[in-house]
Amino acid sequence: MFTTRPTLQGTFGMVSSTHWLASQSAMAVLEDGGNAYDAAVAAGFVLHVVEPHLNGPAGEVPIILAPAGGAIQVLCGQGVAPAGATIAHYRGLGLDLVPGTGPLAAAVPGAFDAWMMLLRDHGTKSLADVLKYAIGYAQDGHAPVERVGETVETVRELFEREWTSSAEVYLPGGRAPRPGELFRNPALAATWRRLLAETAGAGDRVARIEAAREVWRRGFIAEALVRQAGRPTLDTSGAHHTGTLTAADLASWSATYEAPATYTWRGWTLCKAGPWSQGPVLLQQLALLPPELPRYGSADYVHLLVEGCKLAMADREAWYGDAAEVPLDDLLSREYNAARRDLIGDKASYELRPGSPGGRAPRMSGHARVAAEADPGFDPMGVGEPTVAKSPRSPVPGEPDVTADGGTRGDTCHLDIVDRWGNMVAATPSGGWLQSNPVVPELGFPLGTRLQMAWLEEGLPNSLTPGRRPRTTLTPSLALRDGVPVLAFGTPGGDQQDQWQTHFFLAVALRSEVRGGLDLQGAIDAPNWHNDSFPGSFYPRGMRPGALTVESRTDEAVVEELRRRGHDVLVGDAWSEGRLCAVARDPRTGVLSAAANPRGMQGYAVGR
């Protein structure tokens, strides 16, 4: 099978990320004696600089880590709703949905603290060692990818008219960043240099990291974030609002460790973040598979995965969240999924069909019911985390864009690393996009907007609730084979993340059955697809029942058969579905592998 590039192999270290500068910065840390966790933190901060339209320091990041010889953990860098972020407050402002932009959509920022805890607990390098790459690119400049400038152009009018602090950073001299020209963010570089200066005398490596956490939570960074949250800001509602984030919210929150949600399938154990994320959707898609699978890539195969995904996503809508107990054991049980599997017929379903795990009655938001039952012309899909490459024919948004009302959307980043000692990590940073909120003038980066994923309706697992996490689409993956960590992978893409990852994982896991086998790069390069038959997670939370988007490289006979079965198939661009990254380690030989997505023309794997 044709692949765009080789799967890299070596024994020293492997990195895959959504931007080559992040990948190479991480590799530089490994070459300097650092481990996978040191490298991940360095790459994470570089991604803030080189993919500012896709993530930022005040966004969020779930991290799955497998220390060599240790227990697998999830490090949750998803902040909670502030104490003042009550449904009553938002309803009192006349809102039915949390806006997609502006300070009302800002949760407590989570990414910075999670990276600090990863470095403190599992790294070996100093904070200065890992920040120097990001500081260098922010201060001295980097040649931006095309989509940075394209994104800024879509919000030019908003920046110039309303979000003037953003214009100062991203429209210097009235010009958006351009490929081949150095783009700088000196305010961000100054923030990190001041952070290092204020923590230099704190003591040893760990003490300085702890001091940095305190500066973020209570020092000059916290003060600037709170000031920004209090500034009236135009958001997607069309009105100016202030946020709810306070100094007390910042001071009281910390990233946390937890055990992963897991599911074992054919000797593989998949590890995901819990149901405060959409991670268990991948696990349930595996649980819904029958004992015997159709031929890989056939219409039967695609149909089976699409219909199983619809059922898992319907359960996500009814049961996942952080505001109520989630019956995850029942949702992943053999009996429950056997019954759910019986709902998959020969024709495409256009219904949103959540199940009743343990006999419980499902409950969905009123908005989700309207989206599911509305006339087929209902199409509020204009904002949200998108697929990687925008096709003018695609019903799902592409790279960040702007709508007529000033609404903006962003995407996400991903990185995977394995080192020579066998430490492995997968992380999916997102949020705090340049188009999410105005740049905090004193800091050089904006607040995030993750609260837009919570419902303004009481009594749901994903109801907006102070002190609780909004359900996130961010969902890195780590897989064990016979109990040993062997594979870390993930992708940007919002609601599509656990669709593309399921397809990728199965291509790898079924290697002996797939036309001679797909290696990591082949599994990433294989034609991919997604469906939109469930309420989207991003404002304005629309859905397209029956819609299925496939890459144009998909066999025409497969497309026609899917249409015959009732799928509303849209053929997108040839390379438009996913931004997957992956690294692997063979425990028998110690050989390390890595691959990266060619879609979007910026993801790269490096290693030796």
Side-chain angles (χ1 to χ4, degrees):
M1 178 180 175
F2 167 78
T3 60
T4 58
R5 53 184 90 165
T7 295
L8 304 185
Q9 291 192 311
T11 56
F12 180 81
M14 289 285 161
V15 180
S16 179
S17 88
T18 49
H19 196 288
W20 63 84
L21 291 179
S23 294
Q24 190 54 50
S25 297
M27 195 66 202
V29 174
L30 295 181
E31 295 283 5
D32 194 43
N35 66 18
Y37 309 115
D38 298 313
V41 177
F45 280 88
V46 168
L47 287 170
H48 298 157
V49 180
V50 300
E51 292 192 322
H53 58 312
L54 308 179
N55 79 137
E60 41 275 328
V61 58
I63 303 168
I64 302 183
L65 56 147
I72 294 174
Q73 293 179 295
V74 172
L75 178 50
C76 174
Q78 172 57 64
V80 299
T86 64
I87 291 174
H89 175 66
Y90 287 67
R91 289 286 189 178
L93 296 172
L95 298 171
D96 296 321
L97 293 173
V98 178
T101 61
L104 271 181
V108 177
F112 180 87
D113 199 59
W115 289 126
M116 290 301 99
M117 288 182 64
L118 183 66
L119 183 65
R120 181 196 70 185
D121 298 337
H122 300 279
T124 65
K125 292 290 189 178
S126 71
L127 181 57
D129 285 338
V130 297
L131 277 181
K132 66 184 180 183
Y133 305 93
I135 292 172
Y137 288 125
Q139 181 64 45
D140 302 327
H142 65 97
V145 295
E146 288 185 9
R147 287 192 174 92
V148 175
E150 290 171 357
T151 301
V152 174
E153 287 295 349
T154 66
V155 289
R156 172 184 286 275
E157 183 180 352
L158 176 67
F159 281 11
E160 292 179 335
R161 186 182 74 249
E162 294 279 348
W163 296 8
T164 54
S165 60
S166 297
E168 290 177 10
V169 174
Y170 291 103
L171 289 166
R175 286 177 47 142
R178 296 186 180 187
E181 298 181 3
L182 289 179
F183 174 71
R184 299 174 174 87
N185 187 343
L188 178 58
T191 295
W192 298 145
R193 286 200 307 270
R194 180 177 174 184
L195 177 74
L196 292 176
E198 291 195 6
T199 59
D204 63 9
R205 186 189 78 91
V206 170
R208 291 194 296 274
I209 295 170
E210 280 298 296
R213 296 179 69 210
E214 285 302 295
V215 170
W216 179 276
R217 294 160 65 177
R218 294 183 172 87
F220 79 94
I221 294 177
E223 293 167 359
L225 292 173
V226 171
R227 279 195 299 272
Q228 184 63 43
R231 293 182 176 117
T233 302
L234 179 68
D235 59 37
T236 51
S237 72
H240 291 77
H241 292 115
T242 57
T244 61
L245 184 69
T246 67
D249 295 317
L250 282 165
S252 62
W253 185 83
S254 171
T256 53
Y257 290 101
E258 59 188 54
T262 63
Y263 185 80
T264 298
W265 182 83
R266 294 194 182 184
W268 294 82
T269 299
L270 274 293
C271 300
K272 303 287 285 184
W276 52 268
S277 76
Q278 73 171 0
V281 163
L282 188 153
L283 308 182
Q284 192 174 354
Q285 287 178 88
L286 295 179
L288 284 162
L289 294 175
E292 297 296 324
L293 297 182
R295 179 176 59 84
Y296 175 85
S298 65
D300 287 341
Y301 181 85
V302 176
H303 174 78
L304 174 69
L305 294 186
V306 169
E307 294 305 299
C309 176
K310 292 175 184 178
L311 295 173
M313 283 296 198
D315 279 343
R316 182 194 76 164
E317 193 53 50
W319 298 107
Y320 289 22
D322 194 39
E325 193 69 27
V326 179
L328 191 57
D329 288 344
D330 288 331
L331 286 167
L332 297 179
S333 70
R334 184 184 304 274
E335 297 76 18
Y336 177 74
N337 285 288
R340 295 285 277 160
R341 190 183 306 126
D342 288 342
L343 296 175
I344 299 175
D346 292 332
K347 296 292 186 178
S349 169
Y350 280 58
E351 300 177 73
L352 188 65
R353 300 180 289 179
S356 300
R360 304 168 183 84
R363 183 182 173 193
M364 294 188 300
S365 72
H367 182 92
R369 292 194 298 273
V370 169
E373 298 167 4
D375 182 273
F378 178 73
D379 180 28
M381 292 292 291
V383 182
E385 275 186 335
T387 56
V388 56
K390 179 164 58 178
S391 163
R393 302 179 301 279
S394 175
V396 173
E399 280 289 341
D401 204 347
V402 64
T403 60
D405 65 357
T408 57
R409 60 176 177 263
D411 199 359
T412 298
C413 310
H414 186 81
L415 64 89
D416 302 302
I417 304 175
V418 59
D419 63 28
R420 62 188 184 273
W421 301 287
N423 298 302
M424 191 175 288
V425 60
T428 310
S430 186
W433 312 304
L434 67 86
Q435 63 277 26
S436 64
N437 258 296
V439 165
V440 183
E442 305 93 325
L443 303 178
F445 60 84
L447 286 163
T449 55
R450 195 60 57 171
L451 291 187
Q452 67 180 288
M453 309 182 89
W455 295 114
L456 297 181
E457 184 176 337
E458 300 283 1
L460 302 172
N462 193 31
S463 296
L464 180 65
T465 306
R468 295 291 183 171
R469 295 165 288 191
R471 189 188 70 216
T472 178
T473 52
L474 307 176
T475 174
S477 299
L478 198 141
L480 293 73
R481 183 68 172 166
D482 299 322
V484 180
V486 296
L487 178 66
F489 60 101
T491 180
D495 294 307
Q496 287 80 51
Q497 289 182 32
D498 279 314
Q499 300 188 57
W500 294 328
Q501 290 185 69
T502 299
H503 311 157
F504 163 81
F505 168 72
L506 288 174
V508 172
L510 299 172
R511 181 171 182 177
S512 62
E513 305 171 25
V514 182
R515 295 193 302 276
L518 293 180
D519 61 6
L520 291 188
Q521 192 63 53
I524 287 175
D525 288 353
N528 218 321
W529 67 89
H530 79 272
N531 83 90
D532 306 309
S533 294
F534 48 86
S537 295
F538 292 84
Y539 181 93
R541 315 298 298 273
M543 66 178 285
R544 284 180 176 268
L548 173 62
T549 303
V550 303
E551 291 181 323
S552 62
R553 295 178 295 127
T554 305
D555 186 274
E556 290 183 9
V558 171
V559 172
E560 289 309 308
E561 174 61 16
L562 291 168
R563 285 177 171 152
R564 189 192 69 77
R565 293 182 180 213
H567 296 278
D568 182 9
V569 181
L570 186 142
V571 178
D573 288 344
W575 297 92
S576 55
E577 293 285 313
R579 289 178 70 198
L580 282 150
C581 301
V583 300
R585 179 179 184 272
D586 187 333
R588 300 167 301 170
T589 64
V591 171
L592 312 179
S593 304
N597 176 58
R599 302 165 178 89
M601 302 294 286
Q602 65 188 69
Y604 274 88
V606 296
R608 69 171 179 89

